[in-house]
Amino acid sequence: MKIGIADTTFARVNMGRFAIDELKKHSSVTIERYTVPGVKDLPVACKKLFDEYQCDICMALGMPGGKEKDRMCAHEASTGLIACQLMTNRHIIEVFVHEDEAADDAELAWLAEQRTREHAVNVIKLMRPGTLEREAGTGQRQGFSDAGSARQ
């Protein structure tokens, strides 16, 4: 299996480094990294990772700002990532950390690392069919605490 990592220079944390480190802890897959300026460039980066680098699955890592304009850009990027998934029939795990999710820079850096690492584990689980079924309905969250199941 080959995993593509698409990340941005706009992010204030090197999310790609965390993803690669976590993936290497859990498997011996080949990893291709493609860095672009911002989140709206991520759909093309993932498409290139699929088409030109023959990746089987991708992670799209980005850190939109905290303003309304940034939320709109993140939404547009998400729409492009969904289109790319449909065009290629391959998963893209979107890992966005919005700057306004954290109270300060320290929490922002912590959240970006946690969310990226937890989603990297999800990528490994997706590569092993049936693995995620055991977690269905358990309220998993990436970054902050899990919500837990609504049914006990």
Side-chain angles (χ1 to χ4, degrees):
M1 292 289 271
K2 190 184 278 193
I3 299 172
I5 303 293
D7 63 341
T8 72
T9 60
F10 188 86
R12 297 179 57 212
V13 176
N14 189 342
M15 298 167 73
R17 185 184 71 197
F18 298 133
I20 292 166
D21 179 62
E22 196 66 26
L23 291 167
K24 287 181 176 180
K25 284 182 185 178
H26 295 279
S27 70
S28 58
V29 296
T30 301
I31 299 169
E32 295 286 350
R33 185 174 183 179
Y34 194 96
T35 304
V36 295
V39 293
K40 291 185 292 183
D41 302 302
L42 289 170
V44 171
C46 288
K47 183 80 164 56
K48 289 174 80 63
L49 284 163
F50 289 138
D51 293 348
E52 297 174 19
Y53 296 85
Q54 290 75 49
C55 291
D56 299 293
I57 189 169
C58 283
M59 293 182 74
L61 311 171
M63 186 176 285
K67 297 180 179 165
E68 184 59 34
K69 176 181 177 178
D70 299 312
R71 281 186 277 286
M72 184 184 304
C73 288
H75 178 269
E76 296 301 321
S78 292
T79 302
L81 291 169
I82 291 166
C84 183
Q85 290 181 86
L86 294 171
M87 289 185 328
T88 61
N89 202 31
R90 293 188 182 110
H91 288 286
I92 299 171
I93 303 304
E94 177 185 309
V95 185
F96 284 2
V97 177
H98 295 257
E99 285 186 359
D100 60 357
E101 288 187 74
D104 55 35
D105 285 352
E107 185 181 39
L108 182 66
W110 173 86
L111 179 59
E113 181 173 355
Q114 285 300 115
R115 186 168 293 160
T116 301
R117 289 185 182 279
E118 290 180 32
H119 273 302
V121 172
N122 284 338
V123 167
I124 299 299
K125 290 176 181 178
L126 271 171
M127 292 171 35
R128 299 177 181 143
T131 304
L132 283 172
E133 289 175 16
R134 293 186 289 272
E135 296 178 23
T138 60
Q140 300 295 304
R141 301 294 186 264
Q142 288 70 39
F144 293 120
S145 299
D146 294 340
S149 178
R151 298 190 134 201
Q152 301 302 328

